Amino acid sequence: MKIGGVRMSLYRLLAADSPDRVIQMNKRTARKVGLLKGQEITLSYGMRKARMKVLINRKAAGNTLILPSRSIEKLKIVLSVTYNVRLLDDVLVIGPVIGMLYHQDGNKMEADLRENPNLYLPYAQSIRKLGGMLFFAAENQIDFHSGEMEGCVFNFETMAWERAVLPFPSILYRKVKATKALKSSFGSRLFNPPCYYKWKFFSILNKEPAFRKYLPETKNVITRNNLDRMIGKYGMVFLKPINKGGGAGMHLIWKEGRNYFARKNFTSEVFTYTSRQLNDLLASCEKNHIFQQPIHLKSYKDRKIDYRVIAVKEKARTWKVDPIIGWLGVKGGITTQGNRGVSGRYVEDLLKLQFNDSDEGIAQKVGEMKSLAIALANYLEGECGTFIDFGFDMGLDEQGDIYIFEGNTLQQLETPLSLNDHMMYGELIYCILEALKELSMEGEEPVSFDN
């Protein structure tokens, strides 16, 4: 098979009633892998390892590795898929073995897989092309003592996700909160690592002068003085929770005379606060909210517009941006986030509505957003650790200047499906899994269970 114009060899694993600690293959396969007859190696599968001796078997099929049944069981190897093989010194890495942690409860994970085939089938299709084993699991399915976890692997014969008992993967890619147990058990193998909430995101970027002009003024000290100062400067101010996404819990606050007024996101109702009521509101928000300057976004027919700019690591090496999705909010809304009437649009189409610019002008704005997102991804990765993807929320003001509102490390990857663009979604998933595959096959020493 060919991926990206390069011919790849994928290998089938077979179990046999043979002596322990012996791996068999024919002479041609051994030569391709880089092994010699009688060579002592360490076989690495996920976070498990086993010492093996190479045995040449003339009857073995090409691109086939034969392992003892006992070793297959101890290593928890899934035989129904084909694998990549890479020899690094005396370590034979078989993989990738990738775990996807998208829920904290196993029953919810299984229901999600069952009820949303359009969401999850592209993962199975991508890993089938790339080679290796991918499974979905939840944190309550992890046995931290034994180094095993129950997960769901896709079976192309039944076209269904099926349960299996699996080893700790070589990489665990997360879309849930990272607990202490996860961080201590997986360490650098946990992608994307914990990095920041809203306030820390702005604090990290504000250290770099090149990014400051793109940031709305943001404060994490929730006091009446700070509120009055920012209202005096900007006319209004956003009060945002730092630990919620999708615009939940956000207020837009302003003042008329002695009274304060607030409008909560997703509603059109305006609430009036006396001075005492406002103090109570601010006191309840002291530890987990920020104040933020509202940006006068370039709107279309009184509908707010912003953009999700998705940066992904291409082949685990360099960052690229693909795709950018525009959001057109409901009429009169204070943000685009989370409203039922929000519609997704291709970035070029929405910029045309927004600015009625030429194709060249639109291409320039797209290029600016891409360049900024790549610079952000490189900087944040240097500050926080290895990432595979970021979702940056950006908006453009009346002058076309770009502002950064948020950087999402646990973004929902299905954003392209808001355009009903299944090809774009599939390409995004493939790119992410390709990066995970490359990192998984780098041959970091397995950390547990010499079987």
Side-chain angles (χ1 to χ4, degrees), residues 136-151:
F136 284 90
E139 186 171 358
N140 70 349
Q141 296 174 305
I142 300 174
D143 186 334
F144 291 103
H145 177 71
S146 69
E148 296 177 358
M149 53 203 301
E150 190 173 35

Side-chain angles (χ1 to χ4, degrees), residues 371-387:
S371 296
L372 177 57
I374 290 170
L376 288 169
N378 279 311
Y379 180 74
L380 290 170
E381 191 172 38
E383 292 288 317
C384 300
T386 304
F387 281 81

Side-chain angles (χ1 to χ4, degrees), residues 73-84:
E73 173 57 29
K74 285 185 175 181
L75 295 171
K76 298 297 178 188
I77 293 176
V78 175
L79 296 176
S80 59
V81 301
T82 55
Y83 291 92
N84 299 271

